Amino acid sequence: MDRTAFNAGLAELRPLRDEIAKLEKSLAKLVRDRDNRVRKLGAFADATAAAVAKAAGVSIGEVVALVPRLDPTPEHARARLRTSPAAPVPASDAGGPPEGAVVPTSPVTPAAQDTAAALPTATPEPAEPVEEAPAPANEEREAAAVDAGHEPTPPTVRGPGERIELPSVPDGPAGEAYTAVTENLFSQRPNFTQGSREMVFLDAATGVMAGRGGEVRLDLGARTAEEILDAVLTVAPGTERVYITAGAPWHADAERYPTLKQAVAAWLNTESQRWTVDTGRGRDRMAGHFVHARQPVGRYTRVGAERNAEHVEIRSVGEWFDPAGADPLLVREAFVCLWKALKVKWPDVVLMGSPSQTGKDLWARTIPLKGQWAGGYPVLSQELRGLFHATAGQGRTELILPPGIPAELPGLVEYDRTFAYARHTWRSPVGVPRRVTGAAFAKLTEAEQKKLLMSPAHLQVRVTVPDGWEHVGLLPAPISGDRNWEYPSAPGATFTTWAGGAEVHTALSNPFGPWRIEVLDALVFAEGDPIDKWSKWLKEAWASLSAGAQIHADACQRQALYLASRAVRSILLFGIGGFAQRPRLVTGTTSLDELHLVPEGAEILTHDERQVTWQRVSGFSRDPMAHPEWSASVWSGARAALLSMRMRPENVQVGALHVPAGQVVAFRTDAVYLTARHDWPYHGEPGDYLLKGHLAGPVPAPASEDELLALRDKGRAALAAAGGER
């Protein structure tokens, strides 16, 4: 450029300067007008910073600066940060969200944090492996009680194992909501086909990725979310779902954090110049990250992409099955086998991100088009859903210690119920329940009482263990701590609990003598089969894949079919767990200089010199798939079957109550651990007891769950060496 060109450029630049000055003056006037309007709106008694910020197109922090009275910062957030050093704060596992809870987070880029803190919502995603998930935490019970219409009470500090009181159905008009449904909310058959998502399978340890084009090796750098997304999208543009088959990149810096969950949250929210958290789009899109210690979900969108934006999920294939060392190409083949098996019954099947999402979508496509429920299944009232959430536990997990068992065991034998939950879907509660109070129950004839107890019902009962009882406990009692439930067995022990009809019937008809059961309240449903067709079709797919895994000539194809059969199992188990619908737990991150963005009632999980990570319970959503009455019914039936179940072909009773007292070592959801083998029939059908491990004695009695699992693994290896599972 010469002097003449330079001077000409200056002349052209001056008019732009003048035009910009005019526009800036006009903009300043508009901003002053907006700020004045914000101040006026802030004077409204019911105004909230979030609502005003959204309308004005500014952050909550800017609104609070103009109208200080709208500051939503919880006092506990200020107090906690004033008294804590700038380092990660340990969070109790019991106080955090249960594994599988939905926790959408704020964006990973600071510029987007304001919006995420104001709008951190997402469609709930169901629980992770519900067959091994703990019962609802105490904090969740309290939240559910509030949602159910009870007055909140000051938090009580309890020691582990202390008996707690479950909510009851209130008397009078307040109790009417517990025999009602949510207005204009039904589970209905969808009239659209799910959109398929392009997916790839990535071994984050080796960088090997499998997709439509076969296998390729990627350079993943430091394996941050940003580097993984950049590498994948460069080779496979259009990818919308990345399944990690091995490597767990979210655990890379786990040693720096008190818990795995905190390490995962930090990895998901690592700052990125090119990717930010996905805020959702469309009816089947979910917003925010899902923080889970081992099965997290990262949802991202490219920064600055408005039209045709890229939306990508990073997920663990462990949601579906344990890949057991399978390479990404074989894992992809397992998904192909799964899709083909499901397509037999569901021609429009689309594999969604998780087994739970897939399971609920497949179930919705079995809702009848004719008959009583052609218009859809009604969703229970929020009060009743809250009651089920607080009072219906999941699988039984219990370790029995000496003197209940010998200090030295003659052996440890594991019996695991094959595809157990699939056996308990043939009958479910439907419609609006009717309430039968304790006084009304007492007036019924013996035949009427027996009929009610055999009906699909959720019962509040006062239980007394009979004198002379020497066997395991039969009904769950609520306690504080990580487990949340214990099973009292000491003679004379009395407690009040809620239980399903299957468990109450087992307690009254057990082979050693009936327990004393006083019915205090009952919610009795009509009998139906809303999930039976769905379950039968999944069982058929499972049986087909399992058979192929046994007889296929190719070893790799046998493994792919086996993994696909495990995925079907996950679809049913997690689908049932998804019907339970827990209160949403929402997580977000906020910079330290904008603490007013932390929502009211939030708990600070961690913080450093830049930002805090918080969590809060956001209550129940209007989810048309929420049917906790079905989950509770299946879980109750499964717990009862661990105690006693009839094998009809042989007319033989099996289960923990059909072995001598003192032989039961532990329960783990679908499994029972004994000190001796028993000749129980096994036909490979759902619910049958499979001999899965046998460790010959003498064996020291396990004193902890970790010790039990170590002995379990040895027992499985010993049985395999001796000839394998029966």
Side-chain angles (χ1 to χ4, degrees):
M1 177 181 292
D2 57 18
R3 173 61 63 179
T4 301
F6 177 75
N7 290 334
L10 292 176
E12 293 172 353
L13 191 59
R14 291 186 187 102
L16 289 176
R17 175 198 63 191
D18 296 336
E19 183 66 20
I20 291 172
K22 293 178 182 178
L23 291 175
E24 286 178 340
K25 186 176 181 180
S26 298
L27 177 61
K29 182 178 179 182
L30 291 172
V31 169
R32 287 195 299 271
D33 184 34
R34 180 199 64 194
D35 292 349
N36 289 332
R37 291 172 184 266
V38 167
R39 292 187 184 94
K40 290 179 180 179
L41 290 171
F44 177 58
D46 294 331
T48 64
V52 176
K54 185 176 181 181
V58 297
S59 72
I60 294 178
E62 291 173 272
V63 171
V64 171
L66 295 169
V67 190
R69 80 170 194 86
L70 297 183
D71 187 354
T73 307
E75 179 55 32
H76 75 276
R78 300 192 192 97
R80 189 160 182 176
L81 289 174
R82 283 196 299 267
T83 58
S84 299
V89 179
S92 167
D93 288 340
E99 292 196 345
V102 171
V103 281
T105 64
S106 63
V108 296
T109 55
Q113 287 177 359
D114 294 348
T115 304
L119 300 169
T121 58
T123 304
E125 187 167 32
E128 299 304 314
V130 294
E131 72 277 20
E132 294 187 4
N138 296 337
E139 291 84 352
E140 292 181 86
R141 284 206 186 99
E142 291 162 5
V146 172
D147 283 330
H150 295 267
E151 290 297 322
T153 56
T156 302
V157 178
R158 301 186 180 93
E162 183 178 341
R163 191 66 51 78
I164 62 176
E165 183 178 351
L166 295 178
S168 302
V169 178
D171 293 324
E176 295 177 2
Y178 292 78
T179 54
V181 296
T182 302
E183 187 175 356
N184 298 322
L185 189 61
F186 297 87
S187 301
Q188 295 178 315
R189 191 165 184 150
N191 57 5
F192 65 94
T193 300
Q194 292 286 0
S196 60
R197 306 283 177 251
E198 191 68 28
M199 62 183 75
V200 298
F201 301 86
L202 174 66
D203 184 330
T206 65
V208 173
M209 183 185 78
R212 287 181 181 270
E215 282 190 340
V216 63
R217 189 177 295 273
L218 306 179
D219 180 1
L220 302 179
R223 289 165 172 75
T224 63
E226 178 183 66
E227 290 169 302
I228 289 174
L229 292 171
D230 287 345
V232 169
L233 271 295
T234 298
V235 174
T239 296
E240 296 184 81
R241 192 171 293 143
V242 180
Y243 281 112
I244 304 298
T245 64
W250 37 78
H251 292 162
D253 295 323
E255 68 278 358
R256 296 174 50 198
Y257 298 90
T259 66
L260 276 181
K261 186 172 289 185
Q262 291 179 13
V264 169
W267 185 87
L268 291 170
N269 289 288
T270 301
E271 289 189 23
S272 169
Q273 298 300 315
R274 295 182 292 280
W275 297 92
T276 185
V277 70
D278 197 345
T279 55
R281 62 182 176 89
R283 60 184 143 195
D284 63 342
R285 286 286 181 181
M286 301 180 72
H289 301 316
F290 173 49
V291 182
H292 183 276
R294 291 178 176 80
Q295 318 288 346
V297 181
R299 300 185 177 97
Y300 300 94
T301 187
R302 195 178 289 277
V303 172
E306 297 180 0
R307 289 191 175 184
N308 301 319
E310 293 171 290
H311 300 259
V312 190
E313 291 182 333
I314 299 178
R315 312 186 72 110
S316 169
V317 81
E319 294 179 83
W320 295 84
F321 48 71
D322 178 2
D327 61 66
L329 198 60
L330 194 148
V331 172
R332 183 179 186 276
E333 179 60 24
F335 273 74
V336 172
C337 293
L338 171 64
W339 178 79
K340 289 180 178 178
L342 296 175
K343 191 173 178 62
V344 173
K345 293 296 185 180
W346 287 279
D348 57 350
V349 60
V350 171
L351 297 181
M352 303 180 71
S354 71
S356 179
Q357 290 172 282
T358 304
K360 290 197 294 182
D361 181 68
L362 294 178
W363 170 75
R365 297 175 193 280
T366 66
I367 295 176
L369 297 175
K370 298 180 180 179
Q372 181 181 2
W373 306 110
Y377 293 97
V379 174
L380 301 180
S381 67
Q382 179 171 292
E383 291 82 357
L384 188 47
R385 280 181 282 152
L387 182 73
F388 269 106
H389 167 73
T391 61
Q394 299 179 17
R396 178 171 182 168
T397 302
E398 180 185 21
L399 178 64
I400 299 171
L401 302 173
I405 56 173
E408 189 171 77
L409 309 179
L412 185 67
V413 182
E414 177 189 9
Y415 285 98
D416 184 69
R417 298 186 64 222
T418 299
F419 205 7
Y421 286 1
R423 191 184 182 103
H424 304 288
T425 57
W426 62 276
R427 185 184 74 157
S428 300
V430 290
V432 183
R434 61 185 175 92
R435 183 183 181 187
V436 179
T437 64
F441 181 85
K443 295 178 180 179
L444 299 177
T445 66
E446 184 177 349
E448 290 171 332
Q449 290 181 349
K450 183 176 180 180
K451 181 180 179 181
L452 185 149
L453 293 176
M454 296 294 289
S455 301
H458 195 50
L459 306 153
Q460 185 182 34
V461 292
R462 182 178 293 115
V463 183
T464 302
V465 182
D467 293 337
W469 184 261
E470 296 180 347
H471 221 294
V472 297
L474 304 185
L475 289 168
I479 58 171
S480 59
D482 292 341
R483 280 289 170 226
N484 296 285
W485 302 98
E486 66 176 1
Y487 293 80
S489 60
T494 299
F495 58 96
T496 299
T497 190
W498 286 84
E503 294 168 280
V504 173
H505 179 262
T506 299
L508 291 171
S509 61
N510 77 84
F512 297 99
W515 280 28
R516 200 168 99 198
I517 307 290
E518 180 187 355
V519 175
L520 305 177
D521 216 336
L523 297 169
V524 185
F525 292 80
E527 181 178 319
D529 57 356
I531 59 176
D532 190 45
K533 183 178 181 179
W534 169 74
S535 176
K536 284 181 178 177
W537 285 3
L538 288 175
K539 283 185 281 188
E540 289 178 19
W542 170 80
S544 173
L545 291 166
S546 298
Q550 296 290 327
I551 64 175
H552 202 284
D554 182 78
C556 288
Q557 194 66 20
R558 287 200 301 272
Q559 187 178 4
L561 290 166
Y562 170 74
L563 294 178
S565 73
R566 301 296 291 176
V568 174
R569 174 181 178 273
S570 296
I571 288 172
L572 186 136
L573 295 183
F574 299 170
I576 290 171
F579 289 131
Q581 195 216 21
R582 297 168 180 83
R584 293 176 300 171
L585 283 154
V586 179
T587 298
T589 57
T590 305
S591 62
L592 281 180
D593 58 354
E594 294 183 312
L595 284 181
H596 47 268
L597 301 182
V598 179
E600 187 70 32
E603 173 192 5
I604 301 299
L605 295 179
T606 63
H607 76 274
D608 54 28
E609 68 279 2
R610 296 185 300 103
Q611 62 186 21
V612 298
T613 300
W614 48 264
Q615 171 187 285
R616 68 181 175 87
V617 177
S618 65
F620 292 98
S621 65
R622 281 180 59 88
D623 182 2
M625 296 291 189
H627 289 284
E629 69 275 23
W630 300 347
S631 304
S633 176
V634 171
W635 294 336
S636 175
R639 290 194 299 267
L642 275 179
L643 298 171
S644 181
M645 185 183 77
R646 182 181 300 277
M647 298 294 292
R648 296 197 179 278
E650 296 83 6
N651 197 27
V652 173
Q653 294 279 4
V654 299
L657 288 178
H658 302 284
V659 305
Q663 276 198 10
V664 181
V665 177
F667 297 93
R668 272 187 63 81
T669 308
D670 299 334
V672 60
Y673 295 81
L674 310 174
T675 62
R677 288 176 68 156
H678 293 269
D679 190 22
W680 289 345
Y682 181 76
H683 306 292
E685 295 295 323
D688 288 1
Y689 278 88
L690 170 66
L691 176 62
K692 205 165 185 177
H694 184 185
L695 185 62
V699 178
S704 67
E705 188 171 3
D706 287 342
E707 291 183 13
L708 172 67
L709 296 179
L711 293 175
R712 178 200 67 180
D713 294 342
K714 291 180 180 178
R716 290 180 178 180
L719 182 63
E725 299 174 356
R726 186 191 59 207

